[in-house]
C-alpha cells in the first residue's frame, strides 16, 4: 500500500515538473517572437496564379526621411501657389484688382525648402544635351505653342538648326525685328512685361504695386567713389541720397519681367559706362508677377548680378535677377562671373571692378548693344539718376519689346 502511494506521488510530481517546463518554454517562445516582431515587421505573402510573392517588411519598403518630406511639402505648396497665381491672372484679365496678400515667414521658409538651385543646375545640364534631329521639331514646337514664341522674328527659323534647348532659348533675332529708338534717352533692355516704374521713395522700391523691397538690401553697401568717379556724400545722408550725385536729380526705377516665351538676351538701355559688378548668390524662387505680389523683398532673396556705373545724368545700374531654372546669368564682357554655384554663404556677395590702372573709364556700353543673357525668363531692374523732368512713357502691366522707349527728358 505504501509503495503504491509512493509511485502515485512520484508520477504527480513528474507531471507537475513537465507542465512547469512546458509553461516556461511557451513563455520564452512568446518573448522571443515578440522581440522579433518588434525589431522586424512581418512580411506578407500573396498568391497569384499559383505563384507566391513575398513583399518586403513595411519598415523596409517605405522609410520617410526629412529630405523627402521637405521636397514633397515644399513642391506641393509651390504647385498650390502656381494655381493661385493662375486664378489671380484670370481675375486681372477681367479688370478685377485684388488686395495685396503677403506671404508669412513660414510660407517663405517653406518655399525656400524646395531645392530650386539644384533643380536649376539639373535643368541647365539638360539644356546642354544635344537632341536627335528628328526630335528637335516636336520638342521646340511644343515649347513654341505653350509660351507663344514668335519664330518669324528669329534669325534662324529652321528648328532643326538648334542642337539643344539652350541654343533655342538663346536664339538671335533678325536685325530689323527690334529697331532701337533713337529719340529717347532710355530704352527697354529686353522683351517683357512692365511690373512697376517711377521714383524711388524713402529708400524703398516697388517690385509690384503695393509690395516693396529695400534699396540698400537690393544693391548692397555703397560702392567706393573711386570706382564710380562720384563726389563724396555727406555721412548723414540716406542711402538713396548718397546715390544721387547731382543737385536737382531724383532716383528712378523700372522693373521688367521676362516670361519664358520672351527673347532671352538683354541689351544696354542707354549710353553709359559700367564700372563695377556685384554678384549676390541666393535663392532661385520664381519671379513671375504672382509671386512678386506675394513675397516681400523677393528680388533681395534671389540670386542677382548688379552692374553699376554712370551715364550723362549720374548714377546708373542694371540688375539681372535669377529665378527658378534661371541660375545661369551671363554678362558677355565678364568672363569671371559664375552664377548658381553649389555652395555659397548666406548674405554674402562678391565685387569686381572694371576700373583699373590701364582702364580708368570702365566698360563703355552703347544704347542697344548686347549686354548679356538668361538661360530662361527672369527679371531686369533698372535704378538710375535723372533730372526731375524725366518722364516714363509706360503703363504698369504693358508688354514691351527691346529697343522701345522707356522714358526721356
Amino acid at each position: 500500500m505504501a509503495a503504491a502511494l509512493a509511485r502515485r506521488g512520484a508520477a504527480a510530481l513528474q507531471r507537475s515538473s513537465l507542465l512547469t517546463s512546458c509553461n516556461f518554454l511557451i513563455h520564452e517562445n512568446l518573448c522571443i517572437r515578440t522581440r522579433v516582431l518588434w525589431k522586424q515587421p512581418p512580411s506578407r505573402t500573396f498568391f497569384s496564379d499559383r505563384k507566391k510573392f513575398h513583399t518586403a517588411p513595411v519598415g523596409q519598403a517605405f522609410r520617410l526621411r526629412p529630405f523627402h518630406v521637405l521636397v514633397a511639402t515644399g513642391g506641393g505648396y509651390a504647385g498650390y501657389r502656381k494655381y493661385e497665381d493662375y486664378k489671380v491672372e484670370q481675375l486681372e484679365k477681367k479688370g478685377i484688382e485684388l488686395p495685396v496678400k503677403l506671404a508669412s515667414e513660414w510660407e517663405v521658409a517653406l518655399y525656400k525648402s524646395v531645392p530650386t538651385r539644384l533643380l536649376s543646375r539639373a535643368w541647365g545640364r539638360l539644356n546642354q544635351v544635344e537632341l536627335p534631329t528628328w526630335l528637335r521639331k516636336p520638342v521646340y514646337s511644343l515649347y513654341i505653342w505653350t509660351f507663344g514664341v514668335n519664330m518669324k522674328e528669329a534669325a534662324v527659323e529652321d528648328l532643326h538648326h538648334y542642337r539643344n534647348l539652350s541654343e533655342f532659348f538663346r536664339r538671335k533675332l533678325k536685325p530689323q525685328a527690334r529697331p532701337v529708338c533713337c529719340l529717347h534717352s532710355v530704352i527697354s533692355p529686353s522683351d517683357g512685361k512692365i511690373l512697376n516704374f517711377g521714383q524711388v521713395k524713402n529708400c524703398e522700391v516697388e517690385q509690384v504695386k503695393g509690395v516693396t523691397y529695400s534699396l540698400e538690401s537690393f544693391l548692397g553697401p555703397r560702392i567706393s567713389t573711386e570706382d564710380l568717379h562720384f563726389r563724396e556724400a555727406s555721412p548723414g545722408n540716406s542711402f538713396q541720397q548718397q546715390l544721387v550725385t547731382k543737385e536737382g536729380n531724383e532716383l528712378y526705377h523700372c522693373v521688367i519681367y521676362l516670361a519664358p516665351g520672351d527673347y532671352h538676351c538683354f541689351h544696354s538701355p542707354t549710353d553709359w559706362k559700367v564700372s563695377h559688378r556685384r554678384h549676390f548668390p541666393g535663392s532661385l524662387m520664381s519671379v513671375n508677377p504672382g509671386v512678386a505680389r506675394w513675397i516681400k523683398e523677393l528680388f533681395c532673396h534671389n540670386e542677382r548680378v548688379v552692374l553699376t556705373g554712370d551715364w550723362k545724368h549720374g548714377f546708373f545700374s542694371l540688375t539681372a535677377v535669377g529665378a527658378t531654372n534661371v541660375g545661369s546669368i551671363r554678362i558677355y564682357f565678364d568672363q569671371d562671373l559664375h552664377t548658381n554655384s553649389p555652395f555659397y554663404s548666406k548674405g554674402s556677395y562678391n565685387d569686381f571692378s572694371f576700373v583699373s590702372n590701364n582702364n580708368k573709364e570702365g566698360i563703355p556700353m552703347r544704347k542697344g548693344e548686347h549686354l548679356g543673357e538668361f538661360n530662361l525668363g527672369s527679371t531686369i531692374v533698372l535704378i538710375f539718376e535723372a533730372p526731375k523732368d524725366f518722364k516714363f512713357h509706360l503703363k504698369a502691366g504693358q508688354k514691351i519689346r527691346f529697343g522701345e522707349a522707356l522714358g526721356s527728358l
Side-chain angles (χ1 to χ4, degrees), residues 234-255:
S234 302
N237 289 347
S238 67
F239 183 78
Q240 178 178 338
Q241 292 171 331
Q242 292 177 28
L243 294 179
V244 177
T245 62
K246 297 180 181 179
E247 292 184 8
N249 282 1
E250 297 288 347
L251 206 61
Y252 298 86
H253 75 98
C254 183
V255 183

Side-chain angles (χ1 to χ4, degrees), residues 163-201:
R163 295 174 297 176
N164 52 47
L165 288 167
S166 181
E167 287 188 1
F168 177 73
F169 294 147
R170 296 181 287 106
R171 63 193 176 277
K172 303 300 180 184
L173 299 181
K174 295 173 182 176
Q176 67 274 19
R178 296 289 187 276
V180 175
C181 178
C182 299
L183 300 177
H184 297 83
S185 53
V186 183
I187 63 170
S188 175
S190 65
D191 289 7
K193 178 181 180 180
I194 302 296
L195 294 189
N196 214 309
F197 63 93
Q199 285 190 18
V200 177
K201 297 179 180 179

Side-chain angles (χ1 to χ4, degrees), residues 137-394:
K137 188 171 183 178
V139 169
Y140 300 148
S141 296
L142 177 62
Y143 186 91
I144 290 168
W145 177 79
T146 304
F147 296 107
V149 178
N150 184 4
M151 284 303 294
K152 292 182 179 180
E153 298 177 336
V156 180
E157 297 185 37
D158 182 14
L159 298 180
H160 296 100
H161 170 79
Y162 303 100
R163 295 174 297 176
N164 52 47
L165 288 167
S166 181
E167 287 188 1
F168 177 73
F169 294 147
R170 296 181 287 106
R171 63 193 176 277
K172 303 300 180 184
L173 299 181
K174 295 173 182 176
Q176 67 274 19
R178 296 289 187 276
V180 175
C181 178
C182 299
L183 300 177
H184 297 83
S185 53
V186 183
I187 63 170
S188 175
S190 65
D191 289 7
K193 178 181 180 180
I194 302 296
L195 294 189
N196 214 309
F197 63 93
Q199 285 190 18
V200 177
K201 297 179 180 179
N202 302 320
C203 295
E204 293 282 322
V205 185
E206 281 193 323
Q207 57 193 32
V208 293
K209 186 177 180 180
V211 183
T212 63
Y213 57 93
S214 164
L215 180 64
E216 186 169 6
S217 298
F218 182 68
L219 296 179
R222 187 167 182 263
I223 301 161
S224 67
T225 54
E226 294 179 1
D227 282 353
L228 297 180
H229 311 291
F230 292 162
R231 68 181 183 183
E232 289 288 344
S234 302
N237 289 347
S238 67
F239 183 78
Q240 178 178 338
Q241 292 171 331
Q242 292 177 28
L243 294 179
V244 177
T245 62
K246 297 180 181 179
E247 292 184 8
N249 282 1
E250 297 288 347
L251 206 61
Y252 298 86
H253 75 98
C254 183
V255 183
I256 305 171
Y257 166 68
L258 288 73
D262 288 327
Y263 171 55
H264 291 13
C265 297
F266 51 93
H267 302 247
S268 175
T270 191
D271 296 333
W272 64 308
K273 296 173 183 176
V274 184
S275 304
H276 189 272
R277 179 259 291 162
R278 176 170 285 165
H279 172 218
F280 291 86
S283 302
L284 288 174
M285 294 185 284
S286 172
V287 293
N288 73 54
V291 178
R293 189 183 295 105
W294 179 55
I295 298 181
K296 183 178 174 63
E297 298 204 334
L298 171 65
F299 300 154
C300 298
H301 289 293
N302 272 16
E303 182 159 8
R304 60 198 180 279
V305 176
V306 182
L307 300 178
T308 52
D310 60 290
W311 71 318
K312 59 184 178 181
H313 299 297
F315 173 80
F316 198 97
S317 73
L318 181 149
T319 302
V321 183
T324 307
N325 295 335
V326 196
S328 174
I329 303 172
R330 182 183 174 193
I331 304 298
Y332 294 139
F333 57 76
D334 189 353
Q335 302 302 318
D336 296 322
L337 175 64
H338 301 285
T339 58
N340 196 13
S341 300
F343 304 102
Y344 72 97
S345 300
K346 185 177 179 181
S348 65
Y349 61 86
N350 57 77
D351 289 327
F352 184 86
S353 176
F354 299 110
V355 176
S356 63
N357 293 330
N358 297 327
N359 181 11
K360 299 289 186 180
E361 299 297 326
I363 307 295
M365 296 297 300
R366 304 295 297 175
K367 183 166 62 175
E369 186 177 351
H370 279 83
L371 183 55
E373 62 188 36
F374 292 112
N375 193 41
L376 203 58
S378 194
T379 298
I380 294 286
V381 179
L382 302 179
I383 298 175
F384 57 94
E385 176 185 358
K388 291 183 178 180
D389 57 351
F390 181 87
K391 301 294 183 184
F392 284 103
H393 306 293
L394 303 170

